[in-house]
Amino acid sequence: MIQLRRARRYFIVGEQTVRALDDIDLDVAAGEYVAITGPSGSGKSTLLNAIGLLDRLTGGSYLLEGTDVTNFSDDELARTRREKIGFVFQFFHLVPRLTAAQNVELPLTLAGVEPAERRQRVEKALAGLGLSDRARHLPNQLSGGQRQRVAIARATVTRPQVILADEPTGNLDRASGRDVVEILEELNSSGITLLMVTHDPELAARAAREIRMVDGMIASDGRPGSRP
Amino acid sequence: MTARDLIAYATGSVLGYRVRTLLTLLAMGIGVASVVALTALGEGARRYVTGEFKSLGTHLLIVLPGRSETKGGAPPLMGETPRDLTLDDALAIDRSRAVRRIAPIAVGSAGVSYREREREVTVLGTTASFIEVRHLKMASGRFLPEGDPRRASPVCVLGAKLKRELFDAGPAIGRWVRIGDRRFRVLGILASEGRSIGVDIEDIVIIPVAAAQSLFDTYSLFRVLVEARSEEAIPRARQAIRDTIRQRHEGEDDVTVITQDAVVATFNRIFTALTLTVAGIASISLVVAGILIMNVMLVAVSQRTSEVGLLKALGATSGAIMRVFLAEATILSLVGAAAGVVVGYAGIRIVDRFYPVLSLSAPAWAIASAVLVALTTGLLFGVLPARRAARLDPVAALAGR
Ligand SMILES: Nc1ncnc2c1ncn2[C@@H]1O[C@H](COP(=O)(O)OP(=O)(O)O)[C@@H](O)[C@H]1O
Ligand SMILES: [Mg+2]
């Protein structure tokens, strides 16, 4: 599903080169549940952004579902994101002037899906997350947990193969955080590949596989909690 | 993203940021309204003036002594001293078949008195046909009598204002007034004319042309008004005038013939140029509005970087982002232009109410071009912010929260 070879991402800051990803090799099979952990600044977000095609690699290669996407044009990248990838962010990133339903509808609108089908799919996505009665609410009328659920509905409404979640519980209290993770796990058990960055060892322990990053490199990769 | 979705999304954000929207609408609106109102004023003035000239009479030619090389221009102020234009010249012109009637004019200024009241006014010497040539009406009494123009009968016709000042509300017809050192019997009073150009027809006394010539001791005429038989006869009349004068002036047609068309055309040109200039100046405010739109859109882009980042993460291409922001700029300028047209029209209506004589109305070309300029500036100045948005790095945009 995801295959990174000698993937590197360097940032030039003044005179210095920051090696946010330092020759990473990574294979993720379809349907896997992977937790990405590591100290702050170790390159977790950079890795996720590279996998999500929001960012380009400085070097190395990236195969997504067998297709080499390393040299895709910007428009091809946009289309691939639209069709294959769903993002869930720490800060939700809902458009404040749009209702919950309109936020969920947004990726379908961008993809040019027919209005009738859009409405149907939005309704289903909201219902699946227990948000039907919140469809007409604006984001600032929702709790943090509800907002993140709207964001998940938005990430899944296009039926992506991969969901990339960067600290999805980072802005939530424990209970709603657990809710959100359970929803993501349910999606995973329906076949969607799930990559989730988290600080919380307890959450990481629920995944089938944990990748620990340190200084832009993979320090360990295996069952959660295992240390080399 | 379909066009309909694009418009809906852009409209949503236009409505979502009220203050910014109102500000830009205001700027665009004022710009377009001023273009519409100012061109309407220019057009109104143009039509007013040309209308005034038309009211001088149809198929009219004006013969002035002396030759002016500039066609349709003012009478010559300098140059060779021309031969006088005489009453006999005028009567000779009258014999042409292309000419329906003529009115010779001699003018001067003299004191007019009745009992102890005296006023200094313009004295206009002419013939009976003047009233037809100039389309004047009588308030009471009659105009100068037909008959030999060379006879200096002691009769006169008073302008309405002069009559009031000499006689108040009392009867004037049949009374004798003194003009200069002679006595004239009042035949009639001219109706006050709503509009007039040149001589003020209200403050005037009209006497037979021969009487005026003898009063001012001159054989020369001020000018001769010639009415052609028809519109088509104007060139023939002009030729006849030239031929007649050449014959009578020893081979020199030393007169200037102004056709009304030429005068009207000149005024038309002047006022059209004026209107265009004013419209051009007003369009500057449209450019200013465009710059404001650019500013507002730039602020919008920086306020909404995370929205742009999100749209990109959700799979929007740079082109789609660009279209979203361009659509916003277009909506802003379009609605602003529409508001401006409405306000401009309202302004015209109000002015029209108080000064109906101008009969204002904005020409269609002015409205079309104002709206077009508004749209173009909106789009043009919208491009830069839209490109900035489209080029945002999605990772950085999302991190900026
Ligand atoms: N746009 C950038 N410019 C410069 N340095 C960056 C940029 N993005 C990330 N970095 C650096 O790359 C490293 C990894 O960052 P990041 O992937 O955000 O870490 P994490 O998500 O694990 O906290 C950090 O040292 C960070 O400072
Ligand atoms: Mg991070």
Side-chain angles (χ1 to χ4, degrees):
Chain A
M1 174 89 205
I2 293 165
Q3 194 181 81
L4 292 176
R5 287 293 171 270
R6 300 183 65 79
R8 67 171 66 151
R9 179 70 171 98
Y10 293 171
F11 293 104
I12 311 229
V13 182
E15 301 278 279
Q16 278 190 316
T17 303
V18 179
R19 301 178 171 214
L21 294 182
D22 200 358
D23 287 351
I24 281 187
D25 291 321
L26 176 67
D27 285 279
V28 178
E32 265 197 279
Y33 177 9
V34 183
I36 302 170
T37 59
S40 191
S42 57
K44 306 182 295 293
S45 295
T46 306
L47 177 62
L48 215 63
N49 290 334
I51 292 172
L53 300 174
L54 280 178
D55 204 0
R56 283 176 185 279
L57 295 174
T58 313
S61 68
Y62 176 13
L63 262 63
L64 179 63
E65 289 195 306
T67 312
D68 188 348
V69 296
T70 322
N71 295 315
F72 263 25
S73 71
D74 281 352
D75 283 359
E76 285 172 317
L77 291 179
R79 185 168 43 78
T80 313
R81 282 199 296 273
R82 193 157 68 215
E83 289 169 0
K84 303 198 165 152
I85 295 160
F87 287 96
V88 178
F89 307 98
Q90 178 179 356
F91 297 105
F92 323 132
H93 284 304
L94 300 177
V95 180
R97 65 171 181 280
L98 299 182
T99 64
Q102 287 169 332
N103 266 290
V104 175
E105 191 180 0
L106 201 48
L108 297 176
T109 309
L110 287 172
V113 176
E114 287 294 310
E117 193 189 337
R118 273 188 339 229
R119 213 166 309 123
Q120 214 177 355
R121 276 164 73 173
V122 168
E123 246 167 59
K124 226 172 105 188
L126 285 173
L129 293 170
L131 287 166
S132 295
D133 54 340
R134 296 282 183 274
R136 288 166 169 281
H137 289 220
L138 290 173
N140 62 12
Q141 297 166 324
L142 299 171
S143 72
Q146 286 168 335
R147 285 186 217 184
Q148 196 60 301
R149 267 148 59 200
V150 172
I152 293 171
R154 180 180 64 194
T156 54
V157 77
T158 52
R159 305 190 191 113
Q161 281 111 334
V162 191
I163 288 198
L164 304 174
D166 196 348
E167 305 196 36
T169 64
N171 246 14
L172 300 177
D173 59 64
R174 234 167 211 300
S176 27
R178 183 163 298 265
D179 262 6
V180 162
V181 169
E182 276 168 9
I183 291 164
L184 290 173
E185 285 170 357
E186 254 172 64
L187 290 168
N188 173 244
S189 46
S190 74
I192 298 178
T193 312
L194 175 62
L195 276 79
M196 178 172 73
V197 171
T198 180
H199 268 119
D200 186 345
E202 219 176 291
L203 287 184
R206 301 167 65 112
R209 176 179 172 192
E210 180 186 356
I211 293 173
R212 237 188 94 72
M213 297 209 44
V214 176
D215 288 341
M217 291 184 279
I218 295 176
S220 71
D221 183 356
R223 297 207 60 79
S226 61
R227 290 280 187 280
Chain B
M1 213 169 179
T2 64
R4 178 188 289 188
D5 290 331
L6 184 69
I7 291 166
Y9 190 82
T11 309
S13 58
V14 164
L15 292 177
Y17 299 85
R18 297 272 158 81
V19 176
R20 132 192 156 183
T21 300
L22 281 179
L23 268 177
T24 42
L25 291 192
L26 202 67
M28 241 341 153
I30 289 172
V32 172
S34 49
V35 170
V36 169
L38 287 175
T39 48
L41 271 174
E43 270 290 295
R46 183 182 70 79
R47 263 180 302 174
Y48 174 72
V49 169
T50 54
E52 280 295 298
F53 267 96
K54 291 233 168 81
S55 77
L56 274 175
T58 42
H59 328 318
L60 198 65
L61 296 98
I62 302 165
V63 185
L64 320 172
R67 194 186 348 237
S68 155
E69 292 305 327
T70 49
K71 263 175 81 182
L77 298 173
M78 311 219 293
E80 91 274 24
T81 359
R83 249 165 297 248
D84 287 345
L85 184 61
T86 64
L87 186 53
D88 287 332
D89 292 336
L91 296 174
I93 290 169
D94 199 15
R95 285 194 284 271
S96 160
R97 264 190 294 118
V99 172
R100 172 171 295 156
R101 52 172 83 94
I102 62 143
I105 295 176
V107 284
S109 162
V112 180
S113 60
Y114 177 69
R115 293 190 181 153
E116 70 282 4
R117 296 196 192 175
E118 170 151 5
R119 292 263 297 121
E120 182 86 8
V121 295
T122 304
V123 179
L124 198 143
T126 186
T127 59
S129 50
F130 182 76
I131 189 165
E132 272 113 29
V133 174
R134 279 291 322 263
H135 300 281
L136 297 178
K137 294 213 164 52
M138 300 301 293
S140 60
R142 10 181 231 100
F143 197 68
L144 301 177
E146 307 272 350
D148 185 2
R150 292 187 191 81
R151 252 196 72 198
S153 352
V155 290
C156 69
V157 173
L158 302 181
K161 186 174 163 211
L162 178 63
K163 186 263 163 188
R164 269 198 313 278
E165 286 177 350
L166 291 182
F167 294 92
D168 292 323
I173 294 168
R175 303 290 157 97
W176 289 82
V177 294
R178 182 169 285 282
I179 302 174
D181 53 357
R182 300 168 195 203
R183 283 162 31 93
F184 291 79
R185 192 161 54 85
V186 177
L187 285 182
I189 316 295
L190 287 173
S192 5
E193 210 189 29
R195 11 193 235 173
S196 64
I197 246 176
V199 202
D200 184 356
I201 227 80
E202 303 240 311
D203 205 11
I204 200 174
V205 59
I206 299 178
I207 58 176
V209 63
Q213 283 179 318
S214 107
L215 184 66
F216 298 119
D217 193 21
T218 172
Y219 282 104
S220 162
L221 291 176
F222 175 59
R223 56 191 61 182
V224 181
L225 303 183
V226 178
E227 191 182 319
R229 222 160 254 295
S230 66
E231 178 119 40
E232 298 77 55
I234 289 175
R236 271 188 290 129
R238 174 198 282 275
Q239 195 53 49
I241 292 167
R242 291 218 165 284
D243 292 346
T244 310
I245 296 296
R246 196 175 296 121
Q247 219 168 45
R248 301 178 53 84
H249 286 194
E250 293 135 16
E252 291 255 21
D253 55 340
D254 53 356
V255 289
T256 303
V257 182
I258 301 172
T259 56
Q260 197 164 344
D261 288 356
V263 177
V264 170
T266 304
F267 269 90
N268 245 328
R269 271 204 305 280
I270 292 171
F271 274 91
T272 305
L274 207 70
T275 305
L276 284 175
T277 310
V278 167
I281 292 169
S283 325
I284 293 174
S285 62
L286 284 179
V287 175
V288 173
I291 292 171
L292 187 75
I293 286 198
M294 174 162 76
N295 231 326
V296 158
M297 292 306 295
L298 281 174
V299 172
V301 170
S302 60
Q303 270 177 347
R304 284 155 65 192
T305 40
S306 79
E307 182 182 325
V308 174
L310 171 77
L311 289 176
K312 286 200 163 182
L314 296 181
T317 57
S318 299
I321 307 265
M322 181 121 181
R323 283 193 290 276
V324 165
F325 281 88
L326 278 183
E328 283 183 34
T330 308
I331 289 171
L332 283 176
S333 41
L334 206 64
V335 176
V341 169
V342 170
V343 170
Y345 262 111
I348 291 171
R349 271 283 171 77
I350 291 166
V351 176
D352 211 28
R353 194 99 179 222
F354 292 105
Y355 302 98
V357 67
L358 287 178
S359 68
L360 291 186
S361 80
W365 62 261
I367 293 168
S369 53
V371 171
L372 207 73
V373 171
L375 255 182
T376 320
T377 46
L379 265 178
L380 218 64
F381 288 105
V383 167
L384 183 75
R387 272 183 35 179
R388 179 169 293 187
R391 285 187 185 161
L392 280 177
D393 169 27
V395 176
L398 283 166
R401 280 206 268 156

